[in-house]
Amino acid sequence: MAEDSKSDRVKFVYNAQFPSSTAVVLDYLINNDAFTSRQGRQRAMDAITAFYRPLAEEERGKMSEEQVQAVAGVCVEQLVKQIDTLCDRYQLPNPITSRARTASISGDRLESILESGFQTIADAIRGSGLSVDSPLPMSPPLEQGVLMDGSELGDLDDVDFGAPEVDDVVS
C-alpha cells in the first residue's frame, strides 16, 4: 500500500489476557490511581516510542542520518531516565553508571601503571649515573646480532601447536 493512500491516523488496538505480563502492565497503566487511563496509555506509548522511534524513522527514510541520530540521542536519554527510575525504586545497581565507573577505574588504573613504569625507568636512569645531559651508552651495531643458545625459547617439545600426531590422522 502506498504511503499516500494511508490514513493520517494509525489505529492500535491490543488485547492481552491475564496472567500474561503484558496484561498486568496494561492493567496497571489503565487502572492506576496515580494517573488517568489516558495518561497511562500515553506512558505506554512513550515507553515504546523511546526505543523504536529511531528505528522507525530510519526505516521510513524521511529523515537524514543526522536527524535520525539526534532522535536516537533523545530516545537514549528517555530510556536512561526509565532505567534510573527502576534502579532507584528497587535499589538495583545501575548498569549505565556502573559501566562508566568501571571505565573510569580502568582509566585510572592504566594511568597508575604508566606512572609506575615511568617512575621505574627514571629510578633506573638515576641509579646508572646517567643524567639528562650525559650521552646514551653506545649499543652494539645491529649487524652483530645477539648470541642465543636456544634456552630463551624454552623447550619446544613441550608446546602443543594443535597439529595432529601422525597416529591421529585418519586416512
Side-chain angles (χ1 to χ4, degrees), residues 26-158:
L26 293 175
D27 184 61
Y28 165 78
L29 290 169
I30 294 170
N31 298 312
N32 194 308
D33 292 335
F35 43 83
T36 67
S37 66
R38 181 182 180 112
Q39 290 170 324
R41 286 192 298 273
Q42 185 59 53
R43 288 179 182 204
M45 291 298 104
D46 291 346
I48 291 169
T49 302
F51 182 80
Y52 285 104
R53 183 169 179 217
L55 302 169
E57 294 291 0
E58 181 180 38
E59 179 73 21
R60 186 170 173 236
K62 300 282 183 178
M63 289 185 167
S64 70
E65 187 177 329
E66 291 80 18
Q67 289 171 315
V68 172
Q69 192 172 26
V71 166
V74 170
C75 291
V76 166
E77 287 176 20
Q78 292 169 343
L79 292 168
V80 167
K81 286 179 185 176
Q82 291 174 345
I83 291 169
D84 287 343
T85 298
L86 290 175
C87 290
D88 289 347
R89 182 169 182 147
Y90 298 105
Q91 293 90 36
L92 298 171
N94 189 317
I96 295 168
T97 56
S98 295
R99 277 192 197 141
R101 190 170 40 253
T102 300
S104 174
I105 289 169
S106 297
D108 292 345
R109 185 159 188 257
L110 177 60
E111 186 177 330
S112 172
I113 291 168
L114 290 173
E115 187 175 312
S116 172
F118 289 135
Q119 186 61 50
T120 301
I121 292 169
D123 292 345
I125 290 172
R126 275 190 221 104
S128 70
L130 291 176
S131 72
V132 175
D133 298 330
S134 63
L136 292 175
M138 293 295 295
S139 59
L142 290 177
E143 295 80 25
Q144 285 183 340
V146 177
L147 183 60
M148 296 174 60
D149 64 5
S151 64
E152 297 84 3
L153 301 176
D155 190 359
L156 292 178
D157 292 334
D158 295 338

